[in-house]
Amino acid sequence: MSSKTWAAVDDYIVSSLFEADPVLDAVIATNRKQGLPAIDVSAAQGKLLSLLVRIRGAKRVLEVGTLGGYSTIWMARALPADGKVVTLELDPHHAKVAHSNFERAGVSKLVDLRVGPALQSLETLAAENAGPFDLIFIDADKPNNPNYLTWAMRLSRPGTVIICDNVIRDGAVLDEDGRDPHVEGARAAFSFIGGDKHLDGTAIQTVGAKGYDGFAIAIVE
Ligand code: SAH
Ligand code: DHB
Ligand code: MG
């Protein structure tokens, strides 16, 4: 089984289960044209995020790491008309591209994009009493995963769903003494979720168009 098969099966999943989606296709094309790294979630993963928003019945969603807003749009589309995704992005160019993608997708009213270091934006959100959020998706600089998870706990309530991207990394998550900060971030997510008595979680290993990686998913108790 090769990554070529995983990508072909992802195409099969998308073509058999999803409506054609020229807007999302255009968002991905724009992100590449604007030089953003190709680290958006896959379509199958975006759909999973949107289903989790619906299953939770989430009205308030927090995302850490917007990039061009591809995952944001999947989640925004799953919200009721009075819902909101607050999404945090460091890079002003990424944020500008995301903003235009939100316009194109018709979700601008559902999205609150905050530009700057996420740890600062999280302070601001806490000061604004912006929480509690119903679902939180963490997908930014991996070494900060423990800090983002700490903030996620402060901005949550019992029942909040917390998802953390890129926690498997081709299985490199097993490298106990690897010096890759991304892997350290992945392992930190596991030890945080495993060590917090108010979190009950698992991880889903995924293969597909984006290779072999995975999501950690937890519920706040
Ligand atoms: N969720 C997006 C992908 C996010 S990629 C999607 O699936 O479509 C990770 C993003 O996190 C990048 O855009 C990067 O600029 C941003 N990022 C990195 N460090 C950050 C920080 N300290 N604060 C906020 N965003 C950060
Ligand atoms: C990277 C970051 C991501 O959020 C992702 O989904 C894939 C790769 C990275 O920084 O390498
Ligand atoms: Mg990611």
Side-chain angles (χ1 to χ4, degrees):
M1 218 61 67
S2 69
S3 61
K4 219 170 129 190
T5 311
W6 304 342
V9 172
D10 248 7
D11 287 344
Y12 174 76
I13 292 168
V14 169
S15 64
S16 36
L17 301 180
F18 303 0
E19 300 279 331
D21 201 326
V23 168
L24 281 179
D25 294 344
V27 165
I28 291 296
T30 301
N31 292 354
R32 298 297 83 80
K33 202 172 147 213
Q34 291 296 323
L36 274 50
I39 56 175
D40 339 66
V41 294
S42 69
Q45 291 165 342
K47 182 66 173 280
L48 174 62
L49 291 172
S50 86
L51 289 171
L52 289 168
V53 169
R54 291 176 62 194
I55 291 165
R56 170 65 281 179
K59 265 176 99 164
R60 296 195 51 76
V61 172
L62 173 64
E63 176 177 63
V64 186
T66 316
L67 191 67
Y70 182 75
S71 53
T72 323
I73 293 167
W74 273 108
M75 294 191 287
R77 285 173 164 185
L79 289 173
D82 60 345
K84 192 73 92 181
V85 187
V86 180
T87 184
L88 313 180
E89 175 55 50
L90 174 66
D91 186 309
H93 177 60
H94 295 182
K96 191 170 167 230
V97 173
H99 180 82
S100 73
N101 284 332
F102 299 149
E103 291 288 315
R104 187 204 291 263
V107 297
S108 295
K109 281 208 180 78
L110 295 164
V111 178
D112 176 357
L113 169 61
R114 310 266 180 122
V115 188
L119 290 174
Q120 268 177 39
S121 302
L122 288 161
E123 292 256 13
T124 308
L125 288 169
E128 289 171 6
N129 278 319
F133 291 92
D134 307 312
L135 182 142
I136 300 174
F137 178 47
I138 298 171
D139 188 19
D141 48 327
K142 311 308 173 191
N144 267 320
N145 274 346
N147 296 325
Y148 296 146
L149 284 161
T150 301
W151 275 109
M153 294 307 289
R154 284 185 204 154
L155 294 167
S156 65
R157 59 171 172 79
T160 297
V161 172
I162 300 177
I163 303 149
C164 202
D165 194 21
N166 310 115
V167 298
I168 302 295
R169 294 253 172 202
D170 280 312
V173 67
L174 296 180
D175 297 348
E176 277 179 56
D177 42 34
R179 271 150 214 84
D180 179 346
H182 293 264
V183 173
E184 293 304 298
R187 294 181 64 86
F190 278 91
S191 49
F192 191 102
I193 295 169
D196 190 319
K197 66 180 193 311
H198 296 295
L199 279 174
D200 192 19
T202 187
I204 309 180
Q205 303 188 64
T206 56
V207 295
K210 297 282 167 164
Y212 170 35
D213 212 325
F215 285 128
I217 304 187
I219 191 162
V220 178
E221 303 187 307

